[in-house]
Amino acid sequence: MSTLRSLNKTLLAAGLAVATLLSPLTSQAAEKLKIGTVVWAGYGPFYVADKKDLFKPHGLDVDLQFFNDPALIPTAMLSRALDGGMLTYDQVVASVAKGLKHRVVMPIDFSNGGDAIVADASIQSVADFKGKKVGFNPLSPSDFLLAYALQQNGMSDKDINAVNMTPEGIPGAMASGNLPVGVTYEPNVSQILSMGGGDKFKVVYSSKDAPGLITDVLVFDEAVIAKKPAAIKAMMQGYLDGLAYMQAHPEESAEIIGEVLGVSAEEAVEQMAGAYNIPLAEMGKSFTPGDDTHSFHGSGAIIAKLLKDNGQIPTIPDFSKTYDAQFTEALAQ
């Protein structure tokens, strides 16, 4: 992962705008949102919107705060160091199960191979993980993907030698030969696959094998939703504008996203293929109750069972309390 970046901006004017959800923020006083995020290709529309000042027409100033460890973002939200965060849905399920009032306001993207379990060439399948060191970040998407992969192969964390490690620490550990299996996400996956001439490591299991289970989402606490609804709506409009800009200007957008990822535009395009950004017309599927894994109810049931079985949450939450669909509904009108 590239060096942490601070994309700070100044307020466009003094004071905070007070507005209703369906009314735009006033142009005289831009409101500010401090949002926790990580370096991830699926967040490209936000990076483009930030670079091209696409939040500004909606009267919003967004301060993206980059974290090395996504597991730290919910804690920062709880302390009010952040207004909101870009998380994965399993993190929200865990937070709500523990009594926090974090709510998804918008699905951002589905991981489509961007999260992966990478192993040295001698390992042929998930079954070969038995008894081996597996590096991953506990209580993170890496943990969830690994747990699901093990479950699908009739195994559990008791069958492996778990090593607590951040996603960014995986490439170095594997390069040193001390770690045969690691769970991480782009750009770390591509970095690992390119080491040793390109034939030393391979992807054994990825989010392509678990479609819809790893969904990136925009999250705010209930108190922030009540206090800043117009700002939240404006941020979502900026995302949609960023997505439209990416489609209209793919080469420039790849340059912008590559700069954030710390890779070339060509490499950024490759990494972006590992995530599917969700357009407004498809966002409603995530909030619609159903067994499909693209629904928060369907994927939530699988996520919550795995988390509870692993002792990470005390109980399975009510999935309708993990999201607030009012913003996508308002934008779709």
Side-chain angles (χ1 to χ4, degrees):
M1 183 177 288
S2 61
T3 302
L4 296 181
R5 295 156 48 109
S6 178
L7 305 180
N8 295 318
K9 298 177 181 178
T10 57
L11 287 172
L12 299 177
L16 296 178
V18 179
T20 61
L21 170 63
L22 298 179
S23 299
L25 293 169
T26 64
S27 59
Q28 290 80 12
E31 192 162 3
K32 187 171 186 176
L33 287 176
K34 187 177 293 186
I35 305 296
T37 187
V38 297
V39 174
W40 165 244
Y43 296 155
F46 286 110
Y47 303 153
V48 171
D50 182 73
K51 181 71 173 181
K52 303 301 295 185
D53 286 328
L54 300 182
F55 298 113
K56 188 180 296 185
H58 303 291
L60 182 66
D61 182 10
V62 175
D63 181 2
L64 296 179
Q65 296 286 309
F66 283 78
F67 282 67
N68 195 48
D69 184 354
L72 299 177
I73 295 178
T75 302
M77 289 173 59
L78 183 62
S79 69
R80 295 296 186 263
L82 297 172
D83 293 302
M86 299 177 199
L87 305 172
T88 47
Y89 183 56
D90 56 289
Q91 289 179 279
V92 181
V93 171
S95 293
V96 173
K98 295 172 184 176
L100 300 183
K101 296 184 177 181
H102 293 170
R103 304 289 183 260
V104 175
V105 297
M106 182 183 77
I108 301 171
D109 68 82
F110 296 136
S111 179
N112 186 38
D115 292 82
I117 305 175
V118 188
D120 66 46
S122 67
I123 295 175
Q124 302 300 315
S125 67
V126 174
D128 293 334
F129 295 173
K130 190 166 185 177
K132 291 184 173 59
K133 290 181 180 179
V134 180
F136 64 95
N137 190 16
L139 301 175
S140 76
S142 296
D143 190 353
F144 173 66
L145 181 65
L146 174 63
Y148 185 74
L150 292 173
Q151 183 193 69
Q152 292 297 101
N153 286 270
M155 301 166 66
S156 73
D157 59 351
K158 295 181 177 60
D159 293 304
I160 63 171
N161 183 1
V163 180
N164 187 333
M165 191 173 295
T166 67
E168 292 68 45
I170 300 296
M174 296 190 74
S176 70
N178 293 324
L179 188 72
V181 184
V183 193
T184 187
Y185 50 75
E186 292 290 10
N188 305 314
V189 173
S190 293
Q191 180 183 347
I192 294 168
L193 295 179
S194 68
M195 297 188 303
D199 57 3
K200 187 174 182 179
F201 302 101
K202 63 183 178 182
V203 171
V204 177
Y205 194 92
S206 80
S207 51
K208 278 188 177 181
D209 301 303
L213 285 178
I214 297 181
T215 304
D216 290 287
V217 292
L218 181 61
V219 183
F220 293 90
D221 185 84
E222 270 191 351
V224 177
I225 292 174
K227 184 179 181 181
K228 299 184 176 184
I232 293 171
K233 184 186 177 188
M235 183 170 184
M236 293 168 61
Q237 289 172 315
Y239 163 86
L240 295 173
D241 290 347
L243 184 58
Y245 195 93
M246 287 172 60
Q247 294 167 346
H249 307 278
E251 293 183 0
E252 181 188 0
S253 297
E255 290 282 353
I256 293 170
I257 296 169
E259 184 180 354
V260 178
L261 300 180
V263 299
S264 68
E266 292 75 18
E267 291 172 305
V269 171
E270 293 178 4
Q271 292 185 27
M272 288 157 60
Y276 172 69
N277 285 110
I278 305 168
L280 179 61
E282 297 178 19
M283 290 183 184
K285 296 178 183 178
S286 295
F287 301 107
T288 302
D291 296 330
D292 187 274
T293 53
H294 292 91
S295 163
F296 290 138
H297 293 260
S299 61
I302 298 172
I303 291 168
K305 183 179 186 303
L306 285 169
L307 293 177
K308 188 173 185 299
D309 289 348
N310 287 343
Q312 295 175 357
I313 60 174
T315 185
I316 294 178
D318 178 352
F319 302 116
S320 66
K321 295 185 181 301
T322 63
Y323 59 80
D324 187 335
Q326 63 171 310
F327 299 94
T328 56
E329 291 172 354
L331 287 169
Q333 291 178 354

